[in-house]
Amino acid sequence: MAALLRKGDAGRDAATARAWRYRRDLAPVLAAIAVEAGGTPEGIAASLTRRGVRKPRGGRVWTPPDVRRLLSRLAAETAS
């Protein structure tokens, strides 16, 4: 049986796909920065900000909670 589509599903699915691609493309950069910055969310956030890496919605300043969320989502995606 086909799943019923509701209004907004296509846009939500597209946003989810963009977010997944963003995390996938940023993963190698994060790995390199983690080695350089000692692996702490504070060090990674400072390095991402210093390098001018944009956040998913275009922000310029990374915070440790941003990095923790990103790393958590990457870990969940690679575990599944």
Side-chain angles (χ1 to χ4, degrees):
M1 178 176 184
L4 296 176
L5 294 179
R6 297 181 320 205
K7 186 176 183 179
D9 283 349
R12 204 170 11 265
D13 292 345
T16 300
R18 274 192 311 276
W20 182 84
R21 281 192 307 274
Y22 176 84
R23 289 189 299 272
R24 181 198 62 202
D25 293 346
L26 193 58
V29 175
L30 284 174
I33 289 173
V35 170
E36 163 194 312
T40 65
E42 293 78 10
I44 295 170
S47 186
L48 288 168
T49 299
R50 197 172 38 257
R51 290 177 183 217
V53 175
R54 293 284 185 122
K55 291 169 56 173
R57 292 188 177 182
R60 296 173 188 247
V61 178
W62 287 84
T63 64
D66 295 331
V67 173
R68 284 187 200 99
R69 269 190 304 276
L70 181 61
L71 293 175
S72 174
R73 289 184 179 144
L74 280 170
E77 288 170 356
T78 56
S80 57

